[in-house]
Amino acid sequence: MSLKSKDLTGIKGLDAEDIELILETAAGFKDVLRRDIKKVPALRGKTAVNLFYEPSTRTRTSFELAAKRLSTDVVNFSVSTSSVVKGETLRDTAQTIQALGADLIVVRHPCSGAPHFLARHLQASVINAGDGTDEHPTQALLDLLTMREKRGNIEGLEVAIVGDILHSRVAKSNIYALRKLGAGVRLIGPPALVPPYMEEFGVRIFSDMDAGLEGADIVMMLRIQLERQGKGFFPTKEEYFNNWGLTARRLMRAKKNAIVMHPGPMNRGVEIASDVADGERSAILEQVTNGLAVRMAVLYLLSGVKG
Ligand code: CP
């Protein structure tokens, strides 16, 4: 069992068959994670390196745990204490890590396209853990696994993605994945953050949140990137919450059994009210748990393919 490519650079390059294989493999690893001994020898002798040029809580930790659960040797490369601070290039750094024996390199980088660049220059498998505003494929895969567990089937679901779509790599990967599997996608947010050209993705666009949530099966909230405040995308956090924040009242517009998702980290009281984030319809912590199984599946499936 393996994927068609040696790398996972994005959902855009996967077909529905690849996505199904990852989700089925992840479901199998969830069984392993429920056992007393949560470790299998599947990738003994392999080496994975986490190369993160941006901060992360969920993604880096779950890639590390996923590697350990598969008996892979894993190294967390610290950019701030490495020769990157002396000016070493991304390619030289990655080739150095490969020369030390890395089979799998997990990379997060602020520049869109950085993992694609490395994939072209390395024999090791490259996994995109988030590149600029482009893609975050393992986040979309764990989101799909969560939706499937909660609702049985992705095809035919109506998924509302709310917030800063323009800058969101999570949104892009989810849009590609959901459209490939036959779900309907609505994008909701201020016009400056949900530009009309995004209709080309085969989605519907709403600036009115109540209208966009009507009858949705899944409500996926995105982090408002506060570091971009003051750049004219929206006037104030309070105004943003009043128009596009998810409250219990607003959630009533969606289906009765709709679930609430968020990739994290959350801005409570900005894009989502705390009682909704912690409420019975929230699947946010289940997303995190599913991230471990999905990342085990990706490491496992890619380790069988070498370019
Ligand atoms: N969802 C996500 O990518 O979270 P981290 O930035 O904590 O990895």
Side-chain angles (χ1 to χ4, degrees):
M1 273 194 311
S2 60
L3 297 173
K4 296 183 186 77
S5 168
K6 78 173 179 65
D7 310 293
L8 177 62
T9 51
I11 300 289
K12 200 175 186 176
L14 298 182
D15 58 24
E17 194 184 345
D18 283 328
I19 295 172
E20 292 290 353
L21 176 60
I22 296 169
L23 296 181
E24 276 169 33
T25 308
F29 281 129
K30 281 203 80 171
D31 292 336
V32 171
L33 294 170
R34 280 190 276 265
R35 295 181 197 157
D36 280 347
I37 297 171
K38 300 174 174 54
K39 195 160 177 160
V40 289
L43 296 190
R44 196 158 51 197
K46 298 281 183 188
T47 301
V49 176
N50 289 326
L51 179 57
F52 277 54
Y53 286 76
E54 282 186 347
S56 168
T57 300
R58 285 145 280 265
T59 313
R60 200 202 58 74
T61 308
S62 59
F63 265 116
E64 181 180 351
L65 276 173
K68 287 178 171 167
R69 299 282 188 249
L70 293 166
S71 306
T72 314
D73 292 324
V74 60
V75 174
N76 293 311
F77 179 87
S78 167
V79 168
S80 63
T81 57
S82 76
S83 290
V84 171
V85 295
K86 300 178 197 166
E88 188 164 65
T89 66
L90 173 64
R91 180 173 170 179
D92 283 340
T93 300
Q95 283 179 328
T96 301
I97 288 168
Q98 177 175 264
L100 289 168
D103 302 288
L104 299 137
I105 298 181
V106 180
V107 62
R108 170 172 286 193
H109 200 279
C111 295
S112 299
H116 306 71
F117 169 78
L118 289 184
R120 285 196 297 278
H121 291 289
L122 299 176
Q123 289 79 50
S125 290
V126 175
I127 301 169
N128 182 357
D131 64 321
T133 59
D134 178 39
E135 282 220 44
H136 192 348
T138 56
Q139 178 68 47
L141 290 162
L142 72 88
D143 291 339
L144 292 179
L145 183 62
T146 308
M147 290 180 213
R148 181 168 284 180
E149 284 178 354
K150 292 283 184 186
R151 301 303 294 268
N153 206 0
I154 306 287
E155 189 176 2
L157 285 181
E158 277 296 319
V159 181
I161 306 178
V162 187
D164 182 357
I165 315 286
L166 183 66
H167 301 107
S168 174
R169 53 200 181 200
V170 174
K172 313 274 176 21
S173 287
N174 264 291
I175 293 166
Y176 294 134
L178 290 164
R179 296 302 296 136
K180 283 174 198 274
L181 297 190
V185 179
R186 309 149 180 207
L187 305 181
I188 307 172
L193 294 175
V194 192
Y197 73 78
M198 287 192 164
E199 276 178 350
E200 288 169 16
F201 289 122
V203 302
R204 289 193 290 154
I205 290 179
F206 296 83
S207 55
D208 182 85
M209 181 141 174
D210 287 342
L213 291 182
E214 201 67 53
D217 295 283
I218 310 286
V219 183
M220 183 184 295
M221 303 305 297
L222 298 177
R223 181 174 82 89
I224 275 298
Q225 304 194 13
L226 292 171
E227 62 272 24
R228 297 181 204 284
Q229 258 218 314
K231 295 191 180 164
F233 292 112
F234 57 89
T236 63
K237 286 189 275 186
E238 292 70 26
E239 184 168 323
Y240 185 86
F241 183 71
N242 287 339
N243 285 287
W244 295 285
L246 186 62
T247 60
R249 187 193 63 76
R250 280 226 168 91
L251 185 56
M252 287 167 70
R253 295 272 180 171
K255 284 196 180 141
K256 277 196 170 58
N257 61 349
I259 63 165
V260 175
M261 301 175 73
H262 193 305
M266 288 183 276
N267 297 303
R268 291 170 180 264
V270 181
E271 70 259 3
I272 189 165
S274 263
D275 61 331
V276 177
D278 302 328
E280 60 182 14
R281 290 159 78 176
S282 170
I284 294 169
L285 291 176
E286 285 158 88
Q287 289 173 260
V288 177
T289 304
N290 282 338
L292 180 51
V294 158
R295 287 165 180 135
M296 287 174 77
V298 168
L299 292 172
Y300 174 75
L301 291 169
L302 288 179
S303 66
V305 188
K306 283 288 163 279

